[in-house]
Amino acid sequence: MFLSQFESMAHLVITPPSTNQTFQFFSSCSGAHLGNFRHITQEQRFLSVWHPKTPYSNCSELGRTKFRLCKSKYKTIQLANSRLRNQEHRRRKRWSRNLLVESKSSLSLDKVEEKEVIEGVGSDSYYDAIVIGSGIGGLVAATQLAVKGARVLVLEKYVIPGGSSGFYERDGYTFDVGSSVMFGFSDKGNLNLITQALEAVGCEMQVIPDPSTVHFHLPNNLSVQVHREYNNFIKEMISTFPHEKDGIIKFYSECWKIFNALNSLELKSLEEPIYLFGQFFQKPLECLTLAYYLPQNAGDIARKFIKDPQLLSFIDAEVLCDRHYGGINYPVGGVGGIAKSLAKGLVDKGSNILYKANVTNIILDHGKAVGVRLSDGRELFAKSIISNATRWDTFGKLLKGKDLPKEEENFQKVYVKAPSFLSIHLGVKAEVLPPDTDCHHFVLESDWKMLEEPYGSIFLSIPTVLDPSLAPEGRHILHIFTTSSIDDWKGLTLKEYEAKKERVADEIIGRLENKLFSGLKSSIVFKEVGTPKTHRRYLARDSGTYGPMPRKIPKGLLGMPFNTTAIDGLYCVGDSCFPGQGVIAVAFSGVMCAHRVAADIGLEKKSPVLDAALLRLLRWLRTLA
């Protein structure tokens, strides 16, 4: 099973041999943002972006030759919109009024401050960077740039930040949109990227250590608990597979070698040669170690030391990560607090985030990305545009009608859109869970071949095991994932669609009842089901996908694109960029992107000659994949 998660010990450099990504998605990606989102209070609502007493739908002046904008105390002024294509002239003549929502607390949006801002003449209406989307990758890129002194505007389609790492509230429950398995919160090393991102903008979150990563329930009644403590994990592995003792020790020692090399390096853009040369001269052995393993697969490495087919299948299914170094830690109050804290930190650093801002187009001027157009017709401009959308959405929708760059053609030849999920959020009576129930479970009941099939395996998170405050007293949250393709939900009437949701969800819940929790169905007091269509609708992901999946056995991560694109001024960040899916993976993508953009806009040192040479080399390496 192909794992392109940065959480892996060998994450940047080794991946198992199969193209399946089932557990990869479960362990690190996010599910659907479900329902109608009625948890937003009246204070939090994004009011009219025009006159506070004028319905948004009635602002018909927008985009005409002359339009009116409201200033403080409702003073109206007239400005001419010349519609000239020259970017400089546009930004000097166009005014826009934005409603910016500023979080008062790093962990709560219960109180917000509504700011009226008139973006005016000259530099006031021009940004160093515009970030499309406020997922973790986009927010980390934005905050890292803001810390470097850049003026950044984040545009978010919804009314709260986070995207796939957001949250929603229902009936006293706080549900994580996606996975509750959180890496990157360690207080040591260089791979604690969530901790570093929060600290950079003066934010801190309390976390709860998880004593185990995942409890696997596998065919042939194989049960493996991945303990936080490495020695306990190895002891359990050897106890389960005593005949593979030497192979187990050698394989995981190899993983540690790669992890330690990676953990010793300062993590910045792999597309910036000054940084790369600096790291190489400081840590040559570690850099050479990573370079050696980069084109290799974890499964191939495991097969050098291990022969047992069941153990190899387990290695193909599990997540290799920094779980034994920093461990996984759950943020108090839920995963959504990460994005809320980063958004607050962004505003504190003098940049902005604009909600209910649906970007429909990236504006090009002579082949260079110079701005964005919103669904209401407004246009905003910047030195650089960073898309936190998937690459399919970026090049297929935001740049619709433009020729697909050759580099993107090559990427789509090597990778396809990975399947989406069926997500089930449950509120259950607490007594249905046995004492000492683990927080995270992976269930594959009967046949290893089902790992490759839709609905074949199940991932379950129970975050209330760690943080009971997420649910009413006497209740637990169960968040269930299973892979599902959007094609499986097409061609249905609304009645058929709702009936199928209930039927499939009931089957999945029944499997968990048979395997783990007797009486589960009768204990349910709340249920919400989301399909790939839900993910597509609320998270603006093409086909509900959570990133790329290789068409064939990959050569490590060589085929993954980085942050730069073939379009000058346009960058991508998130799970369809190196190093792939997962909260900590997209955080690293954000760090890399911010460093590369900062160099390109003059906030970091750069060498144009070395830049061109390195980018050519990286493009050539991707052709080898």
Side-chain angles (χ1 to χ4, degrees), residues 290-517:
L290 294 178
Y292 172 75
Y293 284 104
L294 181 62
Q296 299 189 52
N297 296 306
D300 291 338
I301 295 173
R303 282 160 176 78
K304 294 178 181 178
F305 309 110
I306 295 169
K307 303 301 179 185
D308 187 294
Q310 188 164 231
L311 176 54
L312 290 172
S313 293
F314 167 73
I315 290 172
D316 287 350
E318 75 151 335
V319 181
L320 305 171
C321 53
D322 63 342
R323 62 197 181 201
H324 306 303
Y325 183 79
I328 63 173
N329 302 275
Y330 189 78
V332 174
V335 171
I338 301 172
K340 290 188 288 185
S341 297
L342 289 172
K344 177 187 180 298
L346 177 73
V347 175
D348 290 344
K349 291 297 178 181
S351 289
N352 293 316
I353 180 167
L354 178 61
Y355 296 100
K356 291 197 84 173
N358 182 22
V359 176
T360 56
N361 298 98
I362 294 171
I363 300 170
L364 301 184
D365 184 10
H366 296 92
K368 175 179 170 59
V370 297
V372 298
R373 183 176 298 110
L374 306 186
S375 58
D376 58 24
R378 283 176 292 167
E379 294 179 348
L380 301 165
F381 297 92
K383 296 177 184 177
S384 53
I385 308 299
I386 302 172
S387 176
N388 195 191
T390 71
R391 297 187 89 94
W392 292 279
D393 288 291
T394 300
F395 289 93
K397 296 178 182 178
L398 300 181
L399 288 166
K400 190 174 183 179
K402 308 295 182 183
D403 292 336
L404 189 66
K406 184 66 176 177
E407 187 173 306
E408 293 305 314
E409 284 186 16
N410 293 337
F411 165 70
Q412 293 185 21
K413 289 177 182 178
V414 178
Y415 290 88
V416 296
K417 286 174 282 189
S420 187
F421 300 101
L422 180 85
S423 295
I424 309 169
H425 285 95
L426 299 179
V428 301
K429 297 175 183 177
E431 55 266 26
V432 76
L433 301 186
D436 301 321
T437 296
D438 292 306
C439 183
H440 307 291
H441 300 261
F442 180 79
V443 178
L444 180 67
E445 301 102 310
S446 58
D447 190 344
W448 284 103
K449 293 180 180 178
M450 292 302 295
L451 188 65
E452 306 283 340
E453 300 299 322
Y455 315 110
S457 55
I458 304 169
F459 188 81
L460 167 67
S461 286
I462 315 173
T464 43
V465 167
L466 301 175
D467 186 358
S469 71
L470 300 173
E473 187 175 355
R475 299 288 186 264
H476 272 298
I477 286 173
L478 272 64
H479 187 186
I480 304 163
F481 293 102
T482 185
T483 53
S484 178
S485 170
I486 199 166
D487 292 336
D488 199 30
W489 299 90
K490 291 180 178 178
L492 303 175
T493 65
L494 179 60
K495 184 177 180 179
E496 291 170 338
Y497 175 74
E498 293 296 333
K500 182 170 183 174
K501 279 204 306 183
E502 289 302 311
R503 184 178 70 255
V504 176
D506 186 69
E507 291 172 358
I508 297 298
I509 294 168
R511 289 165 60 187
L512 290 178
E513 183 175 56
N514 293 334
K515 186 69 178 179
L516 299 179
F517 309 124

Side-chain angles (χ1 to χ4, degrees), residues 153-255:
L153 175 64
V154 176
L155 301 172
E156 169 54 46
K157 182 179 180 180
Y158 189 50
V159 293
I160 57 172
S164 303
S165 296
F167 73 103
Y168 75 97
E169 295 174 341
R170 287 285 191 288
D171 300 348
Y173 297 92
T174 299
F175 292 106
D176 295 332
V177 168
S179 172
S180 303
V181 183
M182 288 294 114
F183 299 95
F185 269 117
S186 170
D187 57 358
K188 58 184 178 180
N190 287 329
L191 297 182
N192 56 345
L193 295 179
I194 303 300
T195 299
Q196 292 181 40
L198 292 168
E199 287 180 348
V201 289
C203 295
E204 183 179 359
M205 295 184 68
Q206 291 184 328
V207 296
I208 303 167
D210 192 337
S212 64
T213 304
V214 180
H215 192 160
F216 286 86
H217 310 271
L218 300 170
N220 303 317
N221 293 316
L222 175 62
S223 175
V224 179
Q225 188 176 12
V226 181
H227 301 276
R228 185 185 186 97
E229 296 298 325
Y230 177 71
N231 289 336
N232 292 340
F233 168 67
I234 291 298
K235 186 183 298 183
E236 176 157 342
M237 291 292 289
I238 293 173
S239 174
T240 306
F241 301 98
H243 54 289
E244 289 284 10
K245 177 180 178 179
D246 290 342
I248 289 169
I249 293 173
K250 289 178 180 177
F251 170 65
Y252 285 103
S253 295
E254 203 82 356
C255 293

